[in-house]
Amino acid sequence: MIGNERHSLPGVIGGDLLRHGKIPVITLIAVLVSAVLVVTTAHKTRLLTAQREQLVLERDALDIEWRNLILEENALGDHSRVERTATDKLHLQHVDPAQENIIVQQ
């Protein structure tokens, strides 16, 4: 009696693939693994590109702020402005170095 043996379909397919289809199975696994790696690499590349773009925008903003601070420092550090502010707001007077020695000695 030839038809009395019962085999499960997954077992028969798996046995046939292992006996006659090793190269196609290996190729299929290699293709799937490479596809997953390509998708992962593309995702990471997009994330890094977005991060780089954000850092470039941040750098540009900091560069603009730095230039504004230099301009502000130059404007505030101008000697004539400092002298005018000291005279007008603080009512300070310019001291002659010769008179300073007299005041210190007294």
Coordinates of all heavy atoms in Angstrom, one line a residue:
M1 N 0.8 -1.2 0.0 CA 0.0 0.0 0.0 C 0.9 1.2 0.0 O 1.6 1.5 1.0 CB -0.9 0.0 1.2 CG -1.9 -1.1 1.3 SD -2.9 -0.6 2.6 CE -4.4 -1.0 1.9
I2 N 0.8 1.9 -1.1 CA 1.6 3.1 -1.3 C 1.0 4.3 -0.6 O 1.7 5.2 -0.1 CB 1.8 3.3 -2.8 CG1 2.5 2.1 -3.3 CG2 2.6 4.6 -3.0 CD1 2.6 2.1 -4.8
G3 N -0.3 4.5 -0.6 CA -0.9 5.8 -0.2 C -1.2 5.8 1.3 O -1.9 6.7 1.7
N4 N -0.7 4.9 2.2 CA -1.0 5.0 3.6 C -0.1 6.0 4.3 O -0.5 6.4 5.5 CB -0.7 3.6 4.2 CG -1.9 2.7 3.8 OD1 -2.9 3.1 3.3 ND2 -1.6 1.4 4.1
E5 N 1.0 6.4 3.8 CA 1.8 7.4 4.5 C 1.2 8.8 4.4 O 0.8 9.2 3.4 CB 3.2 7.5 3.9 CG 4.1 6.4 4.3 CD 5.5 6.6 3.8 OE1 6.1 7.7 3.9 OE2 6.1 5.6 3.2
R6 N 1.3 9.5 5.6 CA 0.7 10.8 5.6 C 1.9 11.8 5.9 O 2.6 11.6 6.8 CB -0.3 11.0 6.7 CG -1.5 10.1 6.4 CD -2.7 10.5 7.2 NE -3.0 11.9 7.1 CZ -4.2 12.3 6.7 NH1 -5.1 11.5 6.4 NH2 -4.4 13.6 6.6
H7 N 2.0 12.8 5.0 CA 3.1 13.8 5.2 C 2.4 15.2 5.3 O 1.5 15.4 4.6 CB 4.0 13.8 4.0 CG 4.8 12.5 3.8 ND1 5.8 12.1 4.6 CD2 4.6 11.5 2.9 CE1 6.2 10.9 4.2 NE2 5.5 10.5 3.2
S8 N 3.0 16.0 6.1 CA 2.5 17.3 6.2 C 3.1 18.2 5.1 O 4.2 17.9 4.6 CB 2.9 18.0 7.6 OG 4.3 18.2 7.6
L9 N 2.3 19.1 4.6 CA 2.6 19.9 3.4 C 3.9 20.7 3.7 O 4.8 20.8 2.9 CB 1.5 20.8 3.0 CG 1.7 21.6 1.7 CD1 2.1 20.7 0.5 CD2 0.5 22.4 1.4
P10 N 4.0 21.4 4.9 CA 5.2 22.2 5.1 C 6.4 21.3 5.2 O 7.5 21.7 4.8 CB 4.9 22.9 6.5 CG 3.4 22.9 6.6 CD 2.9 21.7 5.9
G11 N 6.3 20.1 5.7 CA 7.4 19.2 5.8 C 7.9 18.8 4.4 O 9.1 18.7 4.1
V12 N 7.0 18.5 3.5 CA 7.3 18.1 2.1 C 8.0 19.3 1.4 O 9.0 19.1 0.7 CB 6.0 17.6 1.4 CG1 6.3 17.4 -0.1 CG2 5.5 16.4 2.0
I13 N 7.4 20.5 1.6 CA 8.0 21.7 0.9 C 9.4 21.9 1.4 O 10.3 22.2 0.7 CB 7.1 22.9 1.1 CG1 5.8 22.7 0.3 CG2 7.8 24.2 0.6 CD1 4.7 23.7 0.5
G14 N 9.6 21.9 2.8 CA 10.9 22.1 3.4 C 11.9 21.1 2.9 O 13.0 21.4 2.6
G15 N 11.5 19.8 2.9 CA 12.4 18.8 2.4 C 12.8 19.0 1.0 O 14.0 18.8 0.6
D16 N 11.9 19.3 0.1 CA 12.2 19.6 -1.3 C 13.2 20.7 -1.4 O 14.1 20.7 -2.2 CB 10.9 19.8 -2.1 CG 10.2 18.5 -2.4 OD1 10.8 17.4 -2.2 OD2 9.0 18.6 -2.8
L17 N 12.9 21.8 -0.7 CA 13.8 23.0 -0.8 C 15.2 22.6 -0.3 O 16.2 23.1 -0.9 CB 13.2 24.1 0.1 CG 12.0 24.9 -0.6 CD1 11.5 25.9 0.4 CD2 12.4 25.5 -1.9
L18 N 15.3 21.9 0.8 CA 16.6 21.5 1.3 C 17.4 20.6 0.3 O 18.6 20.6 0.2 CB 16.5 20.9 2.7 CG 16.2 21.9 3.8 CD1 16.0 21.2 5.1 CD2 17.2 23.0 3.9
R19 N 16.6 19.7 -0.3 CA 17.3 18.7 -1.2 C 17.6 19.3 -2.6 O 18.7 19.1 -3.1 CB 16.3 17.5 -1.4 CG 16.7 16.4 -0.5 CD 15.9 15.1 -0.8 NE 14.9 15.1 0.3 CZ 13.6 15.0 0.2 NH1 13.0 15.0 -1.0 NH2 12.8 15.0 1.2
H20 N 16.7 20.1 -3.1 CA 16.8 20.5 -4.5 C 17.0 22.0 -4.7 O 17.3 22.5 -5.8 CB 15.6 20.1 -5.3 CG 15.4 18.6 -5.3 ND1 16.3 17.7 -5.8 CD2 14.4 17.9 -4.7 CE1 15.8 16.5 -5.6 NE2 14.7 16.6 -4.9
G21 N 16.7 22.8 -3.6 CA 16.7 24.3 -3.8 C 17.5 25.1 -2.9 O 17.1 26.1 -2.4
K22 N 18.7 24.6 -2.5 CA 19.6 25.3 -1.6 C 20.0 26.7 -2.1 O 19.9 27.6 -1.3 CB 20.8 24.4 -1.2 CG 20.4 23.2 -0.4 CD 21.7 22.5 0.0 CE 21.3 21.2 0.7 NZ 22.4 20.3 1.0
I23 N 20.4 26.7 -3.3 CA 20.9 28.0 -3.9 C 19.8 29.0 -3.9 O 20.0 30.2 -3.5 CB 21.5 27.8 -5.3 CG1 22.8 27.0 -5.0 CG2 21.8 29.1 -5.9 CD1 23.6 26.6 -6.3
P24 N 18.5 28.7 -4.4 CA 17.5 29.7 -4.4 C 17.1 30.2 -3.0 O 16.8 31.3 -2.8 CB 16.3 29.0 -5.1 CG 16.9 28.0 -5.9 CD 18.1 27.5 -5.2
V25 N 17.1 29.3 -2.0 CA 16.8 29.7 -0.7 C 17.8 30.6 -0.1 O 17.5 31.6 0.5 CB 16.6 28.4 0.2 CG1 16.5 28.8 1.7 CG2 15.4 27.6 -0.2
I26 N 19.1 30.3 -0.3 CA 20.2 31.1 0.1 C 20.1 32.5 -0.6 O 20.3 33.6 0.1 CB 21.5 30.5 -0.1 CG1 21.7 29.3 0.8 CG2 22.7 31.4 0.1 CD1 22.9 28.4 0.5
T27 N 19.8 32.5 -1.9 CA 19.7 33.7 -2.6 C 18.5 34.6 -2.1 O 18.6 35.8 -1.9 CB 19.5 33.5 -4.1 OG1 20.5 32.6 -4.6 CG2 19.4 34.7 -4.9
L28 N 17.4 33.9 -1.8 CA 16.2 34.6 -1.2 C 16.5 35.3 0.1 O 16.2 36.4 0.3 CB 15.0 33.7 -1.1 CG 13.8 34.2 -0.4 CD1 13.2 35.3 -1.3 CD2 12.8 33.1 -0.1
I29 N 17.2 34.5 1.0 CA 17.6 35.1 2.3 C 18.6 36.2 2.1 O 18.4 37.3 2.8 CB 18.2 33.9 3.2 CG1 17.1 32.9 3.5 CG2 18.9 34.5 4.4 CD1 17.6 31.7 4.2
A30 N 19.5 36.1 1.2 CA 20.5 37.2 0.9 C 19.8 38.4 0.4 O 20.1 39.6 0.8 CB 21.6 36.7 0.0
V31 N 18.8 38.3 -0.5 CA 18.0 39.4 -1.0 C 17.2 40.1 0.1 O 17.2 41.3 0.2 CB 17.1 38.9 -2.2 CG1 16.1 40.0 -2.5 CG2 18.0 38.6 -3.4
L32 N 16.6 39.3 0.9 CA 15.8 39.9 2.0 C 16.7 40.6 3.0 O 16.3 41.7 3.5 CB 15.0 38.8 2.7 CG 13.9 38.1 1.9 CD1 13.2 37.0 2.7 CD2 12.8 39.2 1.5
V33 N 17.8 40.0 3.4 CA 18.7 40.7 4.3 C 19.2 42.0 3.7 O 19.3 43.1 4.4 CB 19.9 39.8 4.7 CG1 21.0 40.5 5.4 CG2 19.4 38.6 5.6
S34 N 19.6 42.0 2.4 CA 20.1 43.2 1.8 C 19.0 44.2 1.7 O 19.3 45.4 1.8 CB 20.8 42.9 0.4 OG 19.8 42.5 -0.5
A35 N 17.8 43.8 1.4 CA 16.7 44.8 1.3 C 16.5 45.5 2.7 O 16.3 46.7 2.8 CB 15.4 44.1 0.9
V36 N 16.5 44.7 3.8 CA 16.4 45.3 5.1 C 17.5 46.3 5.4 O 17.3 47.4 5.9 CB 16.3 44.2 6.2 CG1 16.4 44.8 7.6 CG2 15.0 43.4 6.0
L37 N 18.7 45.9 5.0 CA 19.9 46.8 5.3 C 19.8 48.1 4.4 O 20.1 49.1 4.9 CB 21.2 46.0 5.0 CG 21.5 44.9 5.9 CD1 22.8 44.2 5.5 CD2 21.7 45.5 7.3
V38 N 19.3 48.0 3.2 CA 19.1 49.2 2.4 C 18.1 50.1 3.0 O 18.3 51.3 3.1 CB 18.7 48.8 0.9 CG1 18.2 50.0 0.2 CG2 19.9 48.1 0.2
V39 N 17.0 49.6 3.5 CA 16.0 50.4 4.1 C 16.5 51.0 5.4 O 16.3 52.2 5.6 CB 14.7 49.6 4.4 CG1 13.7 50.3 5.2 CG2 14.0 49.1 3.1
T40 N 17.2 50.3 6.2 CA 17.8 50.8 7.4 C 18.8 51.9 7.1 O 18.8 53.0 7.8 CB 18.4 49.7 8.2 OG1 17.5 48.7 8.4 CG2 19.0 50.2 9.5
T41 N 19.6 51.7 6.1 CA 20.7 52.7 5.8 C 20.0 54.0 5.2 O 20.4 55.1 5.6 CB 21.6 52.1 4.7 OG1 22.2 50.9 5.2 CG2 22.7 53.1 4.4
A42 N 19.0 53.8 4.4 CA 18.3 55.0 3.9 C 17.6 55.8 5.0 O 17.7 57.0 5.0 CB 17.2 54.6 2.8
H43 N 17.0 55.1 6.0 CA 16.4 55.8 7.1 C 17.4 56.5 7.9 O 17.2 57.7 8.3 CB 15.7 54.7 7.9 CG 15.0 55.3 9.2 ND1 14.0 56.2 9.1 CD2 15.3 55.2 10.5 CE1 13.6 56.5 10.3 NE2 14.4 55.9 11.2
K44 N 18.5 55.9 8.2 CA 19.6 56.6 9.0 C 20.2 57.7 8.3 O 20.5 58.8 8.9 CB 20.7 55.6 9.4 CG 20.3 54.6 10.4 CD 21.4 53.6 10.8 CE 21.0 52.6 11.8 NZ 22.0 51.7 12.2
T45 N 20.3 57.6 6.9 CA 20.8 58.7 6.1 C 19.9 59.9 6.2 O 20.3 61.0 6.3 CB 21.0 58.2 4.7 OG1 21.9 57.1 4.7 CG2 21.6 59.4 3.8
R46 N 18.6 59.6 6.1 CA 17.6 60.7 6.2 C 17.7 61.4 7.5 O 17.6 62.6 7.6 CB 16.2 60.2 5.9 CG 16.0 59.9 4.4 CD 14.5 59.5 4.1 NE 14.4 59.1 2.8 CZ 13.9 57.9 2.4 NH1 13.6 57.0 3.3 NH2 13.8 57.7 1.1
L47 N 17.8 60.6 8.6 CA 17.9 61.2 9.9 C 19.1 62.1 10.1 O 19.0 63.2 10.6 CB 17.9 60.1 11.0 CG 16.6 59.4 11.2 CD1 16.8 58.3 12.3 CD2 15.5 60.3 11.7
L48 N 20.2 61.6 9.6 CA 21.5 62.4 9.7 C 21.4 63.6 8.8 O 22.0 64.7 9.2 CB 22.7 61.5 9.3 CG 23.0 60.4 10.3 CD1 24.1 59.5 9.7 CD2 23.5 61.0 11.6
T49 N 20.8 63.5 7.6 CA 20.6 64.7 6.8 C 19.8 65.8 7.5 O 20.1 67.0 7.4 CB 20.0 64.3 5.4 OG1 20.9 63.3 4.8 CG2 19.9 65.5 4.5
A50 N 18.7 65.3 8.1 CA 17.8 66.3 8.8 C 18.6 66.9 10.0 O 18.5 68.1 10.2 CB 16.6 65.6 9.3
Q51 N 19.3 66.1 10.7 CA 20.1 66.6 11.8 C 21.2 67.6 11.3 O 21.4 68.7 12.0 CB 20.8 65.5 12.6 CG 21.5 65.9 13.8 CD 22.2 64.7 14.5 OE1 22.3 63.6 14.0 NE2 22.7 65.0 15.7
R52 N 21.8 67.3 10.2 CA 22.8 68.2 9.7 C 22.2 69.5 9.3 O 22.8 70.6 9.5 CB 23.5 67.6 8.5 CG 24.6 68.4 7.9 CD 25.1 67.8 6.6 NE 26.1 68.7 6.0 CZ 25.8 69.7 5.2 NH1 24.6 70.0 4.9 NH2 26.8 70.4 4.6
E53 N 21.1 69.5 8.6 CA 20.4 70.7 8.2 C 20.0 71.5 9.5 O 20.1 72.8 9.4 CB 19.1 70.3 7.5 CG 18.4 71.5 6.8 CD 19.3 72.1 5.7 OE1 20.0 71.4 5.0 OE2 19.2 73.3 5.5
Q54 N 19.6 70.9 10.5 CA 19.2 71.6 11.8 C 20.5 72.3 12.3 O 20.4 73.4 12.8 CB 18.6 70.6 12.8 CG 18.2 71.3 14.1 CD 17.0 72.3 13.8 OE1 16.2 72.1 13.0 NE2 17.0 73.3 14.7
L55 N 21.6 71.6 12.3 CA 22.8 72.1 12.8 C 23.3 73.3 12.0 O 23.9 74.3 12.5 CB 23.9 71.0 12.9 CG 23.7 70.0 14.0 CD1 24.7 68.9 13.9 CD2 23.7 70.6 15.4
V56 N 23.1 73.2 10.7 CA 23.5 74.3 9.8 C 22.7 75.6 10.1 O 23.2 76.7 10.2 CB 23.4 73.9 8.3 CG1 23.5 75.1 7.4 CG2 24.5 72.9 7.9
L57 N 21.4 75.4 10.3 CA 20.5 76.5 10.7 C 20.9 77.1 12.0 O 20.9 78.3 12.2 CB 19.0 76.0 10.7 CG 18.4 75.7 9.4 CD1 17.0 75.1 9.6 CD2 18.4 76.9 8.5
E58 N 21.2 76.2 13.0 CA 21.7 76.7 14.3 C 23.0 77.5 14.2 O 23.2 78.5 14.8 CB 21.8 75.5 15.2 CG 22.1 75.9 16.6 CD 22.2 74.7 17.6 OE1 21.6 73.7 17.2 OE2 22.9 74.8 18.6
R59 N 23.9 77.0 13.4 CA 25.2 77.6 13.2 C 25.0 79.0 12.5 O 25.6 80.0 12.9 CB 26.1 76.8 12.3 CG 27.5 77.5 12.1 CD 28.3 76.9 11.0 NE 27.5 77.2 9.7 CZ 27.8 76.6 8.6 NH1 28.7 75.7 8.5 NH2 27.1 77.0 7.5
D60 N 24.1 79.1 11.5 CA 23.8 80.4 10.9 C 23.2 81.4 11.9 O 23.6 82.6 11.9 CB 22.9 80.2 9.7 CG 23.6 79.5 8.6 OD1 24.8 79.4 8.6 OD2 22.8 79.0 7.7
A61 N 22.3 80.9 12.7 CA 21.7 81.8 13.7 C 22.8 82.3 14.7 O 22.8 83.5 15.1 CB 20.6 81.1 14.5
L62 N 23.6 81.4 15.2 CA 24.7 81.8 16.1 C 25.7 82.7 15.4 O 26.2 83.6 16.1 CB 25.4 80.5 16.6 CG 24.6 79.7 17.6 CD1 25.4 78.4 17.9 CD2 24.3 80.4 18.9
D63 N 26.0 82.5 14.1 CA 26.9 83.4 13.4 C 26.3 84.8 13.3 O 27.0 85.8 13.5 CB 27.1 82.9 12.0 CG 28.2 83.6 11.3 OD1 29.2 83.9 12.0 OD2 28.1 83.8 10.1
I64 N 25.0 84.9 13.1 CA 24.3 86.2 13.0 C 24.4 86.9 14.4 O 24.6 88.1 14.5 CB 22.9 86.1 12.5 CG1 22.9 85.7 11.0 CG2 22.1 87.3 12.7 CD1 21.5 85.3 10.5
E65 N 24.1 86.1 15.4 CA 24.1 86.7 16.8 C 25.5 87.2 17.1 O 25.7 88.2 17.7 CB 23.7 85.6 17.8 CG 23.6 86.1 19.2 CD 23.1 85.1 20.2 OE1 22.7 84.0 19.8 OE2 23.1 85.4 21.4
W66 N 26.5 86.4 16.7 CA 27.9 86.8 17.0 C 28.3 88.1 16.3 O 28.9 89.0 16.9 CB 28.9 85.7 16.5 CG 30.3 86.0 16.6 CD1 31.1 86.3 15.5 CD2 31.1 86.1 17.7 NE1 32.4 86.6 16.0 CE2 32.4 86.5 17.3 CE3 30.9 86.0 19.1 CZ2 33.5 86.7 18.2 CZ3 31.9 86.2 20.0 CH2 33.2 86.5 19.5
R67 N 27.8 88.2 15.1 CA 28.1 89.5 14.3 C 27.4 90.7 15.0 O 28.0 91.8 15.1 CB 27.7 89.4 12.9 CG 28.5 88.4 12.1 CD 28.0 88.3 10.7 NE 28.8 87.3 10.0 CZ 28.4 86.8 8.8 NH1 27.4 87.3 8.2 NH2 29.2 85.9 8.2
N68 N 26.2 90.4 15.4 CA 25.5 91.5 16.1 C 26.1 91.9 17.4 O 26.2 93.1 17.8 CB 24.0 91.1 16.4 CG 23.2 91.1 15.1 OD1 23.5 91.7 14.1 ND2 22.1 90.3 15.1
L69 N 26.7 90.9 18.2 CA 27.3 91.2 19.4 C 28.6 92.0 19.2 O 29.0 92.9 20.0 CB 27.6 89.9 20.2 CG 26.4 89.2 20.8 CD1 26.8 87.9 21.4 CD2 25.8 90.1 21.9
I70 N 29.3 91.6 18.1 CA 30.6 92.4 17.8 C 30.2 93.8 17.4 O 30.9 94.8 17.9 CB 31.3 91.7 16.6 CG1 31.9 90.4 17.1 CG2 32.4 92.6 16.0 CD1 32.6 89.6 16.0
L71 N 29.1 94.0 16.7 CA 28.7 95.4 16.3 C 28.3 96.2 17.6 O 28.7 97.3 17.8 CB 27.6 95.4 15.3 CG 27.9 94.9 13.9 CD1 26.6 94.8 13.1 CD2 28.8 95.9 13.3
E72 N 27.6 95.5 18.5 CA 27.2 96.1 19.7 C 28.4 96.5 20.6 O 28.4 97.5 21.2 CB 26.2 95.2 20.5 CG 25.7 95.8 21.7 CD 24.7 94.9 22.4 OE1 24.3 93.8 21.9 OE2 24.3 95.2 23.6
E73 N 29.3 95.5 20.7 CA 30.5 95.8 21.4 C 31.3 97.0 20.9 O 31.8 97.8 21.6 CB 31.4 94.6 21.4 CG 32.7 94.7 22.2 CD 33.6 93.5 22.1 OE1 33.6 92.8 21.1 OE2 34.4 93.3 23.1
N74 N 31.4 97.1 19.6 CA 32.1 98.2 19.0 C 31.4 99.5 19.2 O 32.0 100.5 19.5 CB 32.3 98.0 17.5 CG 33.3 96.9 17.2 OD1 34.1 96.6 18.0 ND2 33.2 96.3 16.0
A75 N 30.1 99.5 19.2 CA 29.3 100.7 19.4 C 29.4 101.1 20.9 O 29.6 102.3 21.2 CB 27.8 100.5 19.0
L76 N 29.3 100.1 21.8 CA 29.4 100.5 23.2 C 30.8 100.8 23.7 O 30.9 101.5 24.7 CB 28.8 99.3 24.1 CG 27.3 99.0 23.9 CD1 26.9 97.8 24.7 CD2 26.5 100.2 24.3
G77 N 31.8 100.3 23.0 CA 33.1 100.5 23.4 C 33.8 101.8 22.8 O 34.9 102.1 23.1
D78 N 33.0 102.5 22.0 CA 33.6 103.7 21.4 C 33.9 104.7 22.5 O 33.1 105.1 23.3 CB 32.5 104.2 20.4 CG 33.0 105.4 19.6 OD1 34.3 105.5 19.5 OD2 32.2 106.1 19.0
H79 N 35.1 105.2 22.5 CA 35.6 106.1 23.5 C 34.8 107.4 23.6 O 34.5 107.9 24.7 CB 37.1 106.4 23.3 CG 38.0 105.3 23.5 ND1 38.2 104.6 24.7 CD2 38.7 104.6 22.6 CE1 39.0 103.6 24.6 NE2 39.4 103.6 23.3
S80 N 34.4 108.0 22.5 CA 33.7 109.2 22.6 C 32.3 109.0 23.2 O 31.8 109.8 23.9 CB 33.5 109.8 21.2 OG 32.8 108.9 20.3
R81 N 31.7 107.8 22.9 CA 30.4 107.5 23.5 C 30.5 107.3 25.0 O 29.7 107.8 25.8 CB 29.8 106.3 22.8 CG 28.4 105.9 23.4 CD 27.9 104.6 22.7 NE 26.6 104.3 23.2 CZ 26.3 103.8 24.4 NH1 27.2 103.6 25.2 NH2 25.0 103.6 24.8
V82 N 31.6 106.6 25.4 CA 31.8 106.4 26.8 C 32.0 107.7 27.5 O 31.5 108.0 28.6 CB 33.0 105.4 27.1 CG1 33.4 105.3 28.5 CG2 32.6 104.0 26.5
E83 N 32.8 108.6 26.9 CA 33.1 109.9 27.6 C 31.8 110.7 27.6 O 31.6 111.4 28.6 CB 34.2 110.6 26.7 CG 34.7 111.9 27.4 CD 35.8 112.5 26.6 OE1 36.4 111.8 25.8 OE2 36.1 113.7 26.9
R84 N 31.0 110.7 26.6 CA 29.8 111.5 26.5 C 28.8 111.0 27.6 O 28.2 111.8 28.3 CB 29.2 111.4 25.1 CG 28.0 112.3 25.0 CD 27.5 112.4 23.5 NE 27.2 111.0 23.0 CZ 27.9 110.4 22.0 NH1 28.9 111.1 21.5 NH2 27.6 109.2 21.6
T85 N 28.7 109.6 27.7 CA 27.8 109.1 28.7 C 28.3 109.4 30.1 O 27.5 109.8 31.0 CB 27.8 107.5 28.6 OG1 27.3 107.2 27.3 CG2 26.8 106.9 29.6
A86 N 29.6 109.3 30.4 CA 30.1 109.7 31.7 C 29.9 111.1 32.0 O 29.6 111.5 33.2 CB 31.6 109.4 31.7
T87 N 30.0 112.0 31.1 CA 29.8 113.4 31.3 C 28.3 113.8 31.5 O 28.0 114.5 32.4 CB 30.4 114.3 30.1 OG1 31.7 113.9 29.9 CG2 30.3 115.7 30.4
D88 N 27.5 113.2 30.6 CA 26.1 113.6 30.6 C 25.3 112.9 31.8 O 24.6 113.6 32.5 CB 25.4 113.3 29.3 CG 25.9 114.1 28.2 OD1 26.6 115.1 28.4 OD2 25.7 113.7 27.0
K89 N 25.4 111.6 31.9 CA 24.6 110.9 32.9 C 25.2 110.8 34.3 O 24.5 110.9 35.3 CB 24.4 109.5 32.4 CG 23.5 109.4 31.1 CD 23.1 108.0 30.7 CE 22.2 108.0 29.5 NZ 21.8 106.7 29.1
L90 N 26.5 110.7 34.3 CA 27.2 110.5 35.6 C 27.8 111.8 36.1 O 28.3 111.9 37.2 CB 28.2 109.4 35.5 CG 27.7 108.0 35.1 CD1 28.9 107.1 35.0 CD2 26.7 107.5 36.1
H91 N 27.8 112.9 35.3 CA 28.3 114.2 35.7 C 29.8 114.1 36.1 O 30.2 114.7 37.1 CB 27.5 114.9 36.8 CG 26.1 115.0 36.4 ND1 25.6 115.7 35.4 CD2 25.0 114.3 36.9 CE1 24.3 115.6 35.3 NE2 23.9 114.8 36.2
L92 N 30.5 113.2 35.4 CA 32.0 113.1 35.7 C 32.7 114.2 34.9 O 32.3 114.6 33.8 CB 32.5 111.7 35.3 CG 31.8 110.6 36.1 CD1 32.4 109.2 35.6 CD2 32.1 110.7 37.6
Q93 N 33.9 114.6 35.4 CA 34.7 115.6 34.7 C 36.0 114.9 34.3 O 36.5 114.1 35.0 CB 34.9 116.8 35.6 CG 33.6 117.5 35.9 CD 33.9 118.6 36.9 OE1 35.0 118.8 37.3 NE2 32.9 119.4 37.2
H94 N 36.6 115.5 33.2 CA 37.9 115.0 32.8 C 38.9 115.5 33.8 O 39.0 116.7 34.1 CB 38.2 115.5 31.4 CG 39.2 114.7 30.6 ND1 40.3 114.2 31.2 CD2 39.2 114.4 29.3 CE1 41.0 113.6 30.3 NE2 40.4 113.7 29.2
V95 N 39.8 114.7 34.3 CA 40.8 115.1 35.3 C 42.1 115.3 34.6 O 42.6 114.5 33.8 CB 41.0 114.0 36.4 CG1 42.1 114.4 37.3 CG2 39.6 113.8 37.1
D96 N 42.8 116.4 34.9 CA 44.1 116.7 34.3 C 45.1 115.9 35.2 O 45.1 116.0 36.4 CB 44.4 118.2 34.4 CG 45.7 118.6 33.8 OD1 46.2 117.8 32.9 OD2 46.2 119.7 34.1
P97 N 46.0 115.2 34.6 CA 47.0 114.4 35.3 C 47.9 115.2 36.3 O 48.3 114.8 37.3 CB 47.9 113.7 34.3 CG 47.1 113.7 33.0 CD 46.2 114.9 33.1
A98 N 48.1 116.5 35.9 CA 48.9 117.4 36.8 C 48.1 117.7 38.1 O 48.7 117.7 39.2 CB 49.3 118.7 36.1
Q99 N 46.8 117.9 38.0 CA 46.0 118.2 39.2 C 45.8 117.0 40.0 O 45.6 117.1 41.2 CB 44.7 118.8 38.7 CG 44.8 120.2 38.1 CD 43.4 120.7 37.7 OE1 42.5 119.9 37.6 NE2 43.4 121.9 37.3
E100 N 45.9 115.8 39.4 CA 45.6 114.5 40.1 C 46.7 114.4 41.2 O 46.5 113.9 42.3 CB 45.6 113.4 39.1 CG 45.3 112.1 39.8 CD 45.2 110.9 38.8 OE1 45.0 111.2 37.6 OE2 45.4 109.8 39.2
N101 N 48.0 114.7 40.8 CA 49.1 114.5 41.8 C 48.9 115.5 43.0 O 49.2 115.1 44.1 CB 50.4 114.9 41.1 CG 50.8 113.8 40.2 OD1 50.3 112.6 40.3 ND2 51.6 114.1 39.2
I102 N 48.3 116.6 42.8 CA 48.1 117.6 43.9 C 47.0 117.0 44.8 O 47.2 117.1 46.0 CB 47.7 119.0 43.3 CG1 48.8 119.6 42.5 CG2 47.3 119.9 44.4 CD1 48.4 120.8 41.8
I103 N 46.0 116.5 44.2 CA 44.9 115.9 45.1 C 45.4 114.7 45.9 O 45.0 114.5 47.0 CB 43.7 115.5 44.1 CG1 43.1 116.8 43.5 CG2 42.6 114.8 44.9 CD1 42.0 116.5 42.5
V104 N 46.2 113.8 45.3 CA 46.6 112.6 45.9 C 47.6 113.0 47.1 O 47.6 112.4 48.1 CB 47.3 111.7 44.9 CG1 48.0 110.6 45.6 CG2 46.3 111.2 43.9
Q105 N 48.4 114.1 46.9 CA 49.4 114.4 47.9 C 48.7 115.1 49.1 O 49.2 115.1 50.2 CB 50.4 115.4 47.4 CG 51.3 114.7 46.4 CD 52.3 115.7 45.7 OE1 52.2 116.9 45.9 NE2 53.2 115.2 44.9
Q106 N 47.5 115.7 49.0 CA 46.9 116.4 50.1 C 46.3 115.5 51.0 O 46.1 114.7 51.5 CB 45.8 117.3 49.5 CG 46.3 118.5 48.8 CD 45.1 119.3 48.2 OE1 44.0 118.9 48.3 NE2 45.5 120.4 47.6

